[in-house]
Amino acid sequence: MGPLMIDVSGYELTPEEIDILDHPLIGGLILFTRNYHDQTQLKDLIRHIKEVSRNDILLATDHEGGRVQRFKHGFSKIPAMGDILQLSKRHQIDTDSFTRQLGWLMAVELLAFNIDISFAPVLDINGISEVIGDRGFHQSPQQIVRLASEFIRGMREAGMRATGKHFPGHGNVLEDSHVAIPIDRRSKQQIFELDMAIFSEINKQGLLDAVMPAHVIYPDVDDLPAGFSRKWIQQILRNDLGFRGVVFSDDLSMQGAVQMGGIVDRAKLAITAGCDMVLVCNDPSGAIKVIDGLPTNVVMNDLSSKRVKGLKSSSSVDFKTLQKSQQYLDIAYILHSITEAKESL
């Protein structure tokens, strides 16, 4: 399996995309809102992707809930993670059960279309970062651990593995790494005791299957952004925290990564730092440069390959059958009641 995850441009594959998916370096594909028109189209697109891909490709999306939900019409509207605690209290719902049900719902709907993973949940503190904001569960690390753990348990019940992002924490830096190069100037002790403690605790529970490091520089630890840093990935995450899951780079075309050189250099650096799979999104020419610039024999080692294959789903649930299940009807009723109550205000 190859170490590169790419995207595609629209509702159907272009001839060039069909050729690219046959390349040995391609191990994953991420879907965006632009790839979704309706459920029939999505099903056809995914079937075609699997047909033309040389490798047993890992299919992913960002379907966190709230403002980051790639597929809307026909899918359940998942609340923002930062609203869960408030919603459960306002509507007198058991918080842990509600959070677990939402994790299950988010995951099971994607699995019905053979999408293996959603890059979720966000484990960042809902702090000063506007790009994180209510994507984070709470301001308190203890509450984040509580809620995220339940959400992950729901995902796992559905048959999906969890990806915690953005290690070691993006919530306490103002700049958005999509458009800037954020620098978190807090002390190592502050970062470790606050933000990173969330990742550490969830990993101790055995609930962290994958991690996506932040395109953020923490100069008291290393001068390199976490996703390009051997110190962060190999020493702190792997050795100190004992993390054994998959490490995905964040999108290498983001502004927070450009200081690391050209797109090929970024890919090489991320892989060398310890990322099992690197993402190049929203930059078709950049993806082609990486494909042409990396040696074709840059395949995952056996351990990385085993880790990534462990994220593949074996679920074969049908969406229409799913919608008739009692578990689905129960959470759908709760979400409908919340929506009705909001509209009546």
Side-chain angles (χ1 to χ4, degrees):
M1 179 178 282
L4 181 60
M5 178 176 282
I6 60 166
D7 56 354
V8 291
S9 57
Y11 300 146
E12 299 175 349
L13 296 178
T14 66
E16 184 178 43
E17 288 166 350
I18 291 170
D19 287 342
I20 289 171
L21 286 168
D22 187 42
H23 197 281
L25 287 176
I26 306 302
L29 188 141
I30 181 169
L31 295 163
F32 289 95
T33 300
R34 65 172 177 270
N35 302 123
Y36 181 68
H37 182 270
D38 56 58
Q39 291 188 349
T40 300
Q41 169 271 325
L42 181 64
K43 192 174 287 186
D44 288 343
L45 174 61
I46 289 172
R47 177 186 48 77
H48 197 191
I49 289 167
K50 287 180 173 290
E51 280 177 2
V52 301
S53 297
R54 176 178 301 205
N55 294 315
D56 185 14
I57 201 163
L58 182 76
L59 283 175
T61 190
D62 292 300
H63 203 78
E64 302 166 10
R67 58 194 157 100
V68 182
Q69 180 168 331
R70 300 308 187 200
F71 316 132
K72 293 180 181 176
H73 178 69
F75 283 77
S76 300
K77 187 177 180 182
I78 308 293
M81 299 298 99
D83 291 340
I84 290 175
L85 190 60
Q86 186 181 22
L87 285 172
S88 61
K89 287 181 176 178
R90 185 188 305 153
H91 297 277
Q92 299 182 323
I93 308 164
D94 179 78
T95 301
D96 290 352
S97 175
F98 181 48
T99 309
R100 194 163 57 250
Q101 284 176 292
L102 289 174
W104 176 85
L105 179 65
M106 180 279 291
V108 80
E109 288 192 337
L110 296 179
L111 291 170
F113 291 88
N114 292 313
I115 296 170
D116 299 300
I117 57 167
S118 173
F119 287 122
V122 168
L123 300 181
D124 302 308
I125 290 170
N126 186 347
I128 65 170
S129 172
E130 292 182 1
V131 73
I132 300 300
D134 65 3
R135 294 168 65 194
F137 286 92
H138 205 269
Q139 295 79 32
S140 157
Q142 292 77 19
Q143 287 285 19
I144 295 171
V145 169
R146 172 197 172 191
L147 296 168
S149 297
E150 292 300 334
F151 193 84
I152 291 169
R153 289 186 181 103
M155 290 175 67
R156 285 191 162 191
E157 184 186 340
M160 181 180 285
R161 299 296 175 178
T163 304
K165 61 186 187 185
H166 305 83
F167 177 82
H170 197 312
N172 282 300
V173 60
L174 184 61
E175 297 88 356
D176 175 0
S177 55
H178 292 86
V179 295
I181 302 170
I183 301 175
D184 189 334
R185 299 193 183 278
R186 292 175 301 152
S187 70
K188 177 179 177 179
Q189 184 178 356
Q190 284 178 298
I191 296 162
F192 278 43
E193 291 181 355
L194 194 66
D195 307 65
M196 201 183 76
I198 298 163
F199 289 85
S200 178
E201 182 56 38
I202 292 176
N203 185 53
K204 281 179 187 173
Q205 296 181 53
L207 294 174
L208 208 52
D209 305 295
V211 159
M212 181 176 283
H215 285 326
V216 176
I217 298 171
Y218 308 86
D220 200 38
V221 179
D222 195 358
D223 292 332
L224 296 173
F228 298 98
S229 166
R230 286 173 176 259
K231 188 167 186 181
W232 273 114
I233 297 174
Q234 297 188 30
Q235 180 182 318
I236 298 170
L237 181 60
R238 292 285 189 208
N239 294 338
D240 299 348
L241 267 59
F243 176 67
R244 297 291 175 260
V246 177
V247 178
F248 291 101
S249 81
D250 206 343
D251 180 9
L252 297 180
S253 65
M254 286 164 55
Q255 191 65 29
V258 297
Q259 63 173 320
M260 304 310 298
I263 192 73
V264 179
D265 294 328
R266 292 174 228 163
K268 288 177 180 176
L269 284 167
I271 292 168
T272 302
C275 290
D276 298 294
M277 184 169 275
V278 297
L279 280 68
V280 179
C281 314
N282 303 306
D283 184 5
S285 63
I288 291 169
K289 285 178 185 174
V290 173
I291 290 167
D292 291 341
L294 286 180
T296 53
N297 61 355
V298 177
V299 294
M300 291 182 187
N301 61 43
D302 290 344
L303 186 54
S304 285
S305 181
K306 185 178 179 181
R307 288 174 185 144
V308 172
K309 286 176 181 176
L311 300 180
K312 293 283 296 177
S313 168
S314 58
S315 175
S316 58
V317 63
D318 173 75
F319 196 86
K320 289 182 179 177
T321 305
L322 168 67
Q323 288 178 303
K324 296 174 186 175
S325 71
Q326 192 59 52
Q327 191 169 359
Y328 190 94
L329 292 170
D330 288 345
I331 184 60
Y333 175 77
I334 292 171
L335 289 177
H336 179 70
S337 301
I338 289 171
T339 303
E340 278 198 330
K342 186 177 179 181
E343 289 175 352
S344 66
L345 291 176

